[in-house]
Amino acid sequence: IRSLAAPRCAVSDRVLRVATLTYDTLRFGEFEDFPETSEPVWVLGTQFSALTEKDEILSDITSRLWFTYRKSFLPIGGTGPTSDTGWGCMLRCGQMILGQALVCRHLGRDWRWVRGQRQREEYVSILNAFIDKKDCYYSIHQIAQMGVGEGKSIGQWYGPNTVAQVLKKLAVFDSWSRMAVHVAMDNTVVIEEIRCSEAAAPREMNGCLEGACAMAEEETALWRPLVLLIPLRLGLTDINEAYIETLKQCFMMPQSLGVIGGKPNSAHYFIGFVGEELIYLDPHTTQPAVEPSEDGQVPDDSYHCQHPPCRMDICELDPSIAAGFFCKTEDDFDDWCARIRKMSCSRGSLPMFELVDSQPSHLISADVLNLTPDFSDSDRLERFFDSEDEEFEILSL
């Protein structure tokens, strides 16, 4: 038994033309509940029982931020699209994985959303960062326009690695959250790079510290909460089954932010698994843009998925993904490294990426040694993943 999956979106020659149906045509009552199974349900590092904790599972999943297609927002770039239907699904998945990092940063992993209840100020601030307006940190406007610098025109479909690079750039300007977003290159996480970039002082710009304005004195510690994004390719056209157990173990880690990827031409935000099925939030629902009230409160019902989440067989996963992890403290990062090393030594599974203390000599180049907060390795990453975005192209009919 599995929930209904969203139909695939289609764009012809990168023109914004919707050619498929979305959840707008479906009733939430049509979604199947979790199966009665004794197998554990894992959601972003937390284990549940489908037999005795079904309400807790749904409460946890409903509490995740759910970003979907929106319509009737102000034109992107002043004259661009007023809806991202048909092209923005991977951008919305990027919002969801970063939104989860912000929730962990400001509210904690165990925070729960309750419909109709007045929310904490931190929650309202997080949600306002994603409103579909040009001046919000992580809005569809900001992501689409920042993507132009990554070689993506507004309205063009993104792959997971492009979204990761864009989020890294945008996070520099979020002085409230003050997170370090690190994108691991070449299937390799280099501990030295992360520690050096954490220790790098913010750059001064226009008389203030970029990314550090208005910070309280206690926030100037060397370690900034870390968002680690790892673009990966786990096969040629299909996922290599040797990676499946490793992928599952990533969802079991307390630092897990989930995975962005999907089926070919259809992006999803994967948050866990049960048995051989992945659990995911699907952005393929077009909802009206939301306007905050004068006091900054946001009508938030549409930002939480209030029906059982979708599931799909793990073997259907497109091999191009980006895995995410959040380490609030340096101890969290040390614990993550220990878990990855232990996982790499286990038999019967293939490591998805390599964890090394320092950059291997054959990978060292000038751009890798640039550790300033706004550095971009996107050109080399795009070359390495040259086929990745093509695999995720929205095909014409």
Side-chain angles (χ1 to χ4, degrees), residues 90-382:
M90 183 59 80
L91 283 69
R92 297 298 185 180
C93 290
Q95 287 181 322
M96 284 190 269
I97 199 169
L98 190 68
Q100 177 61 19
L102 292 174
V103 167
C104 291
R105 165 75 170 94
H106 297 290
L107 300 171
R109 171 64 183 88
D110 296 331
W111 170 84
R112 294 293 182 267
W113 177 80
V114 179
R115 185 178 186 179
Q117 185 177 25
R118 187 172 180 84
Q119 303 297 330
R120 289 168 52 180
E121 182 179 339
E122 295 92 339
Y123 166 81
V124 176
S125 296
I126 291 171
L127 210 50
N128 270 289
F130 294 94
I131 297 297
D132 299 311
K133 292 187 173 183
K134 65 178 181 179
D135 55 349
C136 297
Y137 285 133
Y138 307 112
S139 66
I140 193 76
H141 297 65
Q142 291 283 4
I143 296 176
Q145 291 186 288
M146 187 65 78
V148 173
E150 301 295 322
K152 301 291 185 180
S153 59
I154 294 174
Q156 186 174 345
W157 211 89
Y158 287 19
N161 59 295
T162 303
V163 170
Q165 292 292 342
V166 168
L167 294 177
K168 174 182 174 178
K169 287 185 174 183
L170 292 176
V172 172
F173 303 99
D174 184 358
S175 56
W176 174 57
S177 298
R178 195 176 170 269
M179 297 192 305
V181 177
H182 182 84
V183 181
M185 304 283 293
D186 302 319
N187 295 344
T188 305
V189 177
V190 183
I191 295 175
E192 182 181 59
E193 281 186 4
I194 292 173
R195 295 196 188 281
C196 288
S197 60
E198 283 283 353
R203 294 189 298 115
E204 186 167 336
M205 185 175 182
N206 296 329
C208 68
L209 292 178
E210 183 182 1
C213 299
M215 281 194 305
E217 200 169 296
E218 60 269 20
E219 287 291 315
T220 59
L222 289 180
W223 184 269
R224 293 172 293 163
L226 171 69
V227 177
L228 176 59
L229 300 175
I230 312 174
L232 299 165
R233 189 166 185 87
L234 306 181
L236 295 176
T237 58
D238 300 299
I239 185 172
N240 186 331
E241 292 186 5
Y243 292 117
I244 288 178
E245 289 305 314
T246 310
L247 179 61
K248 287 181 178 181
Q249 290 180 53
C250 287
F251 289 112
M252 299 164 66
M253 294 184 178
Q255 298 88 352
S256 175
L257 289 177
V259 167
I260 55 175
K263 300 177 182 179
N265 318 317
S266 185
H268 305 311
Y269 173 41
F270 298 94
I271 58 176
F273 73 93
V274 53
E276 298 305 312
E277 291 184 320
L278 293 173
I279 302 167
Y280 65 93
L281 297 178
D282 195 315
H284 298 87
T285 300
T286 302
Q287 304 184 88
V290 170
E291 185 69 28
S293 60
E294 291 183 1
D295 63 355
Q297 294 294 316
V298 179
D300 63 346
D301 277 14
S302 66
Y303 289 102
H304 295 274
C305 184
Q306 298 172 62
H307 58 76
C310 297
R311 305 191 308 278
M312 62 174 262
D313 191 293
I314 196 168
C315 291
E316 297 176 10
L317 181 68
D318 189 279
S320 293
I321 65 169
F325 302 93
F326 177 74
C327 301
K328 188 171 185 178
T329 67
E330 191 167 7
D331 286 343
D332 289 339
F333 179 64
D334 291 339
D335 177 75
W336 179 84
C337 291
R339 291 173 184 270
I340 292 296
R341 288 193 171 107
K342 182 178 180 181
M343 187 171 66
S344 299
C345 295
S346 62
R347 295 182 178 180
S349 59
L350 190 65
M352 298 192 304
F353 55 87
E354 186 178 8
L355 177 66
V356 297
D357 290 323
S358 57
Q359 183 72 260
S361 58
H362 68 280
L363 293 179
I364 292 179
S365 62
D367 56 342
V368 171
L369 296 177
N370 178 8
L371 299 173
T372 55
D374 64 342
F375 85 99
S376 173
D377 294 309
S378 58
D379 290 342
R380 189 157 65 92
L381 188 62
E382 289 293 346

